Amino acid sequence: MGSWGTGPFDNDDARSFVNDLVELPAPEAREALEAALRTVADPDGDLGVIEVNEAIAAAAMVAGLVEDVLPEDDYAIERWADVEKPPTLDEDLRQLALTVLDRVGDPDDNEWYQVKDETDELEDALAALEPYRDALS
């Protein structure tokens, strides 16, 4: 996994997820967002780095449907901004995104948390999620 920062889109997994997402019609994009979020929001099982990176990107994308919080200078986000008809936001999707942002901060069975902690990036990575959490709240 390539990572170059602590933001939700600063890794190859998130970039790939967004690049795939913008190619989908709105209903399928919504399904892809929900699937990525559910992978992390459901309380059973271990959380792998890839799944968490994709779910964090999905949660940030959902937050971007609520409020203008996405970084403007990011290639993948510029692609999202060019989507003519984004997925429909509803309360279930918003709550699911909030659940993901809560769950990634839980160290139990969470490889993403462990990796970020071991590389001394955890505090910065969790802080980078706050604007998205605020938009979804």
Side-chain angles (χ1 to χ4, degrees), residues 99-120:
T99 299
V100 163
L101 295 182
D102 289 341
R103 178 115 198 267
V104 300
D106 182 354
D108 293 336
D109 301 319
N110 186 341
E111 181 184 17
W112 178 89
Y113 186 101
Q114 294 166 357
V115 167
K116 293 295 184 186
D117 192 35
E118 290 169 2
T119 58
D120 294 324

Side-chain angles (χ1 to χ4, degrees), residues 13-28:
D13 303 320
R15 283 285 171 103
S16 292
F17 177 79
V18 173
N19 282 328
D20 291 343
L21 188 70
V22 299
E23 299 297 324
L24 299 173
E28 291 177 33

